[in-house]
Amino acid sequence: MSSTDHIQSKLSDGILTLRINRPDKKNALSLAMYQTLADGLREADCDDSVRVILISGGADCFTSGNDLGDFLSVPPTGPDSPVMQFLIAISETRKPIVAAVNGLAVGVGVTMLLHCDLVYAGNSATFQMPFVNLGLCPEAGSTLLLPRIMGHQRAAELLLLGEAFGADKAQNLGIVTAVCPDDAVLATAEKRAGQMALQPAAAVRLTKALLKRDYAIPLRETIVEEGAQFMARLKSPEATEALQAFMQRRKPDFSRFT
Ligand code: COA
């Protein structure tokens, strides 16, 4: 498994841990980081020594989502872009995925959790999907998965207003398995991953596949459609204003766009 400074990977007792580690940028995901994650997931799925994948971040930040500077300088342009490879890989990985979330989970930091099988979050974790706030649209199949998990109105509130919410709400909405004390999140996730690694692997893979059977095809179609719309939105005046406002540390002004 390739390990870089920003994505650290470690295989131990059948658990492949992929740790997002770019603390100076709140673990924002660059192109190279998406590529390393996509490659790691795909390799893990074919490697018999990996029985469970665990995705974690830092003690105060899971990830602040896509690197917003990259959206301006090296935006994704097609289905082969590293972000699309990552989204397809995480949504189609046959092996179980456990997530340990401390601190901020923003954008894809939330939507990637919809593809994980067990999600443990610290009690002060904060979640936010500000795609619309950035003039963009949701991704990672979230427009299919969120209403399926929580119903249209609750999904619409999260996506259309893009407000931050806490771990208890995330658990009530069904996107977090359990909330733990902040300092117990990683240990809890590792313990559950360890339990799963001892389960019969073929039965685990089959059960995961059956759980997703009725939406596997529409999920891929949704990820591809959202991806195309998202890439088009990146060129929109609304997104340009929002991204420039972030870089210039000011509030965006959408009043002149209709
Ligand atoms: N992309 C690129 N850089 C990011 C980033 C992102 N998604 N999130 C944070 N950073 C950078 C900041 O630019 C800053 O860099 P600098 O020190 O070189 O100026 C550094 O990380 C620290 O971020 P800062 O904003 O100072 O921390 P904060 O605690 O005040 O706020 C966030 C943290 C995550 C709430 C805020 O940075 C933010 O809103 N980021 C954007 C999140 C986002 O919209 N993600 C994409 C969703 S699609």
Side-chain angles (χ1 to χ4, degrees):
M1 294 297 158
S2 76
S3 197
T4 64
D5 285 351
H6 291 160
I7 302 291
Q8 299 174 336
S9 68
K10 181 187 81 171
L11 177 60
S12 171
D13 297 328
I15 304 168
L16 174 71
T17 301
L18 296 171
R19 177 165 176 257
I20 306 167
N21 179 45
R22 194 189 177 198
D24 56 321
K25 293 290 179 187
K26 301 279 176 189
N27 282 353
L29 294 168
S30 65
L31 293 189
M33 291 163 76
Y34 279 123
Q35 191 66 61
T36 306
L37 287 169
D39 293 344
L41 289 168
R42 286 189 296 231
E43 285 170 35
D45 223 24
C46 307
D47 180 346
D48 289 342
S49 63
V50 177
R51 293 171 83 92
V52 182
I53 297 153
L54 194 162
I55 300 178
S56 71
D60 66 348
C61 192
F62 182 63
T63 167
S64 62
N66 202 106
D67 187 308
L68 293 182
D70 278 5
F71 275 157
L72 286 168
S73 58
V74 277
T77 52
D80 292 335
S81 61
V83 59
M84 292 304 289
Q85 289 186 47
F86 167 69
L87 296 179
I88 295 296
I90 195 168
S91 64
E92 297 188 356
T93 296
R94 295 168 311 132
K95 294 181 181 173
I97 307 176
V98 179
V101 181
N102 275 112
L104 291 166
V106 186
V108 73
V110 181
T111 56
M112 76 165 81
L113 303 177
L114 307 176
H115 302 286
C116 297
D117 303 292
L118 303 177
V119 177
Y120 297 98
N123 47 19
S124 60
T126 307
F127 302 78
Q128 188 179 13
M129 290 176 282
F131 303 108
V132 169
N133 314 38
L134 290 167
L136 300 169
C137 67
E139 35 71 302
S142 55
T143 57
L144 181 141
L145 295 173
L146 287 170
R148 195 186 150 92
I149 295 167
M150 63 189 67
H152 172 84
Q153 285 80 3
R154 292 194 283 183
E157 184 182 47
L158 297 186
L159 291 175
L160 296 179
L161 295 178
E163 291 173 336
F165 53 99
D168 288 334
K169 180 165 177 176
Q171 186 184 16
N172 289 336
L173 290 170
I175 59 179
V176 158
T177 308
V179 178
C180 319
D182 288 332
D183 59 4
V185 176
L186 189 57
T188 305
E190 285 173 339
K191 184 174 163 218
R192 297 309 241 172
Q195 264 177 271
M196 192 113 66
L198 297 176
Q199 292 283 68
V204 167
R205 286 196 303 276
L206 174 61
T207 301
K208 174 165 175 164
L210 289 169
L211 280 166
K212 301 178 75 168
R213 188 178 74 93
D214 74 330
Y215 65 93
I217 293 170
L219 177 58
R220 179 183 262 248
E221 288 168 357
T222 305
I223 291 173
V224 170
E225 173 63 17
E226 288 170 345
Q229 297 286 355
F230 192 104
M231 289 175 214
R233 291 296 306 168
L234 279 170
K235 298 184 199 128
S236 69
E238 291 174 341
T240 305
E241 165 62 10
L243 295 170
Q244 284 177 350
F246 177 77
M247 295 303 161
Q248 294 161 6
R249 292 191 170 267
R250 62 173 172 82
K251 272 194 180 343
D253 174 9
F254 300 117
S255 61
R256 64 187 187 280
F257 309 123
T258 54

